[in-house]
Amino acid sequence: MKHVVSVSLGSSARNKSSEFEMLGERFLLERIGTDGDMKAFKAKFEELDGKVDAMGIGGADLYLVSGERKFAFREIAHCISGVKRTPIVDGSGLKHTLERKSIEFLSESHQIDFAKEKVFLVSAVDRYGMAQALDKVCPDVIYGDLLFGIGLNLPIRTYAGVQRLANVLLPVITKLPFKWFYPTGEKQDQRTPKFQKVWDDRTFICGDSLFILRFAPDRLEWKTILTQSVRAANLEYFKSAGVKQLITTTPVVGNETFATNVMEAAIVALLGKGQTPLLESEYEEVLGRMNWKPNVIQL
């Protein structure tokens, strides 16, 4: 049995373990939260190094991406610097492939007519595969990077605009404390709705589930939400908020959907290439064998 652990900066109250099967291989999956404590986060990675098949970075991003440029958060890179043997991933491999393909599949299968949708991607530098795919199929996208990354009421309306700002700001931002830009610990479960007019004006909302759950208003009438994965409580929130349909990008495995970092770590463990980074084609090959498609839930 493969053993995969997601070490998270989120709350330890959501710790869990479960077994599932993927492509004939059994997996034990654990999620271990460290309550926003960077020292505990770093120590847990080092404790598990060499003892498990793969690890995921949960509740945090290692990389933000603009076009072909990747910028690593210095603080998160430091936390995993002691890991020498076990492969460790942050979900960016699947963000580049699976999330891009989610937009392409929904468009090409005519399930979503992006030419008619008014899209809100809450953060483009975090979900860059999704951002690049939307840029090709949807003429009306608002990117929320300045709204929620920095707190400025300045919606960005083109992906080229995201790239110009990102190339200036990310070299600086990624050197500052991570918690200034992304909720950690108990803050991940606190709702602080912001910029309601932007949400109200949109029909299709997508991106990081923590951003959506934290900053969305109480009412999301007749909107479609596309995100990586949701828990049962999140599903109830979206239903009570009036959401029309929910689409998750990560595969349903054993009746559950897992976060992008978890799914990517499981694929890495499955292929058994150690710390050698997987190619885009290798992710696509595994997704193809799983007959992966976005999971559409009518609410």
Side-chain angles (χ1 to χ4, degrees):
M1 180 182 292
K2 302 285 188 184
H3 189 184
V4 171
V5 179
S6 174
V7 180
S8 175
L9 269 178
S11 170
S12 59
R14 288 187 273 115
N15 284 358
K16 67 175 184 177
S17 66
S18 58
E19 294 184 17
F20 68 94
E21 183 173 323
M22 180 171 69
L23 297 176
E25 184 73 50
R26 295 292 300 171
F27 287 82
L28 170 62
L29 170 70
E30 287 189 79
R31 186 266 187 197
I32 301 174
T34 55
D35 300 311
D37 184 333
M38 285 289 179
K39 288 183 179 178
F41 187 60
K42 184 175 189 297
K44 183 56 69 176
F45 282 123
E46 293 173 359
E47 175 191 327
L48 294 171
D49 186 23
K51 299 177 181 175
V52 299
D53 293 286
M55 291 190 282
I57 302 171
D61 283 319
L62 175 59
Y63 293 111
L64 297 179
V65 180
S66 169
E68 301 302 318
R69 301 183 65 186
K70 297 175 73 172
F71 302 87
F73 271 105
R74 183 164 61 183
E75 195 170 21
I76 304 301
H78 171 69
C79 287
I80 64 168
S81 61
V83 176
K84 305 299 182 186
R85 290 171 288 177
T86 298
I88 184 168
V89 295
D90 71 339
S92 58
L94 282 184
K95 290 176 184 176
H96 187 65
T97 54
L98 177 147
E99 296 193 344
R100 180 191 310 279
K101 287 186 171 298
S102 296
I103 299 297
E104 293 171 352
F105 177 85
L106 292 168
S107 177
E108 291 167 3
S109 65
H110 305 292
Q111 294 187 57
I112 302 292
D113 184 354
F114 283 102
K116 295 180 179 177
E117 296 285 349
K118 300 173 75 173
V119 172
F120 182 23
L121 175 56
V122 292
S123 174
V125 294
D126 172 54
R127 325 302 296 197
Y128 52 97
M130 196 178 285
Q132 292 168 352
L134 283 170
D135 185 50
K136 293 180 180 177
V137 299
C138 184
D140 188 356
V141 183
I142 284 180
Y143 304 90
D145 296 75
L146 290 180
L147 299 173
F148 307 125
I150 301 181
L152 297 176
N153 190 7
L154 294 172
I156 307 171
R157 294 188 177 274
T158 66
Y159 185 60
V162 172
Q163 289 180 282
R164 284 194 295 272
L165 283 167
N167 290 337
V168 173
L169 296 176
L170 291 187
V172 177
I173 286 174
T174 49
K175 292 180 174 58
L176 298 175
F178 182 76
K179 65 181 180 182
W180 290 6
F181 307 99
Y182 197 82
T184 60
E186 293 181 354
K187 287 185 177 178
Q188 293 187 352
D189 298 319
Q190 296 172 358
R191 281 183 38 74
T192 55
K194 291 182 177 179
F195 307 115
Q196 180 163 348
K197 287 185 179 179
V198 177
W199 298 90
D200 289 348
D201 179 55
R202 302 284 99 184
T203 60
F204 189 99
I205 294 163
C206 54
D208 183 88
S209 60
L210 281 179
F211 274 136
I212 295 172
L213 292 163
R214 182 172 168 80
F215 297 122
D218 292 335
R219 302 305 302 167
L220 294 166
E221 303 282 358
W222 289 103
K223 300 183 191 302
T224 295
I225 306 290
L226 169 67
T227 191
Q228 69 270 36
S229 62
V230 294
R231 290 174 285 151
N234 305 145
L235 192 64
E236 288 305 310
Y237 158 71
F238 286 129
K239 192 179 294 184
S240 66
V243 170
K244 179 178 68 175
Q245 63 181 350
L246 176 69
I247 305 172
T248 57
T249 57
T250 49
V252 178
V253 181
N255 296 321
E256 288 191 75
T257 57
F258 296 102
T260 313
N261 78 89
V262 180
M263 205 64 231
E264 184 172 328
I267 291 173
V268 167
L270 176 76
L271 296 184
K273 294 182 62 177
Q275 293 186 319
T276 304
L278 298 187
L279 302 173
E280 182 176 334
S281 59
E282 291 174 308
Y283 286 112
E284 293 179 349
E285 188 271 335
V286 172
L287 293 171
R289 280 199 279 154
M290 295 175 68
N291 193 29
W292 165 87
K293 293 180 179 60
N295 184 36
V296 181
I297 305 168
Q298 302 298 329
L299 301 179

